[in-house]
Amino acid sequence: MGEALRHHGEPRQRWLRHFLPAADGCTVETLCERLRISHNAVRQHLTALIVRGWVQRVEPLPSGGRPQMRYGLTASGRELFPRNYGLLSTALLAQLHERFGDDGLEAFLEQLGRNVAASQPLPTEQVDHETLVRALAQRLDELGYEAVPARHNGEWQVEAFNCVFHALARQHPQVCRFDLAYMKAATGHRIHHMECIVRGGHVCRFRVGPEPASGDRA
């Protein structure tokens, strides 16, 4: 059971699981039969799930008669179920390191960072430094870094509170090359890793732009 789903009561978990295998959605009648409750009770539960954004109306199937309304999970509803992305990505990177070594893994992660940035370009033309940093922080946050823009020594920088490769980065620090390559490609500017969680920092802090002053280097 996923942690997100675990936060909800057993009745709601049971409801959501009924939608997961139903690729074409469920009708009210189907839910009545499976859950052994009345039409009114089904509609009340459906309304609550729709309001939360977990369930939506889907296209009814052609039946030759009056079409029956069907309901299925939204993308948000599906995300309540477990996703072992962290475990799988860590295992994959460990395997790449074993096969290609430090240099090969570093080159792979740099290219991966550039590729991901190319698929998610930031608006970099005619924007000031603060706007660029805020846009970069938001994009990193969407990738799971728990990132925010922050003022440091009078300058806007990006602070990330979650190292998405933390377990692997402790063994192979070169995985940080993904972060740096991604941010450089996304912004078109040099990226300076000023503070690093893996190296004992409280956050991962990044400076966007020219070389930092000598007193503020990583």
Side-chain angles (χ1 to χ4, degrees):
M1 184 190 307
E3 284 302 316
L5 194 60
R6 194 187 299 274
H7 291 309
H8 305 286
E10 180 59 33
R12 188 155 288 170
Q13 294 172 25
R14 187 169 63 251
W15 265 84
L16 291 167
R17 288 195 184 93
H18 278 295
F19 292 103
L20 193 60
D24 298 320
C26 296
T27 65
V28 170
E29 287 72 19
T30 299
L31 292 169
C32 287
E33 293 175 5
R34 290 179 180 175
L35 296 164
R36 297 182 181 180
I37 58 177
S38 69
H39 281 66
N40 285 339
V42 166
R43 294 187 185 281
Q44 288 175 6
H45 282 288
L46 282 173
T47 298
L49 295 174
I50 291 170
V51 168
R52 285 181 174 269
W54 297 335
V55 170
Q56 63 186 349
R57 295 179 179 87
V58 298
E59 191 70 23
L61 294 176
S63 61
R66 183 178 179 181
Q68 290 184 305
M69 184 60 67
R70 306 180 78 85
Y71 300 86
L73 291 174
T74 64
S76 296
R78 289 186 176 279
E79 286 302 316
L80 294 172
F81 291 87
R83 299 286 190 273
N84 286 322
Y85 298 138
L87 174 64
L88 294 174
S89 61
T90 298
L92 174 61
L93 291 174
Q95 186 68 29
L96 288 170
H97 179 263
E98 182 178 338
R99 178 168 296 188
F100 300 113
D102 288 349
D103 292 343
L105 178 60
E106 187 172 308
F108 170 81
L109 288 166
E110 287 182 350
Q111 186 60 55
L112 181 62
R114 290 191 290 269
N115 291 347
V116 174
S119 69
Q120 302 175 340
L122 287 174
T124 58
E125 295 184 3
Q126 298 180 341
V127 296
D128 59 28
H129 184 264
E130 179 183 346
T131 301
L132 181 61
V133 169
R134 287 185 177 279
L136 178 60
Q138 180 178 348
R139 186 58 53 78
L140 288 172
D141 192 61
E142 293 168 354
L143 290 173
Y145 287 81
E146 298 295 327
V148 296
R151 296 279 286 181
H152 193 86
N153 290 343
E155 179 185 57
W156 285 102
Q157 298 181 7
V158 174
E159 291 185 350
F161 296 89
N162 181 44
C163 175
V164 297
F165 299 121
H166 189 265
L168 189 60
R170 293 177 65 182
Q171 301 177 49
H172 310 293
Q174 67 271 23
V175 298
C176 296
R177 290 292 181 177
F178 171 86
D179 304 338
L180 300 175
Y182 172 82
M183 288 185 276
K184 180 179 180 181
T187 64
H189 293 279
R190 290 192 64 182
I191 303 296
H192 308 279
H193 202 168
M194 311 303 294
E195 187 175 352
C196 178
I197 294 174
V198 173
R199 298 200 301 264
H202 295 294
V203 297
C204 280
R205 181 164 55 87
F206 304 98
R207 186 178 190 275
V208 181
E211 289 286 353
S214 58
D216 191 29
R217 294 179 186 270

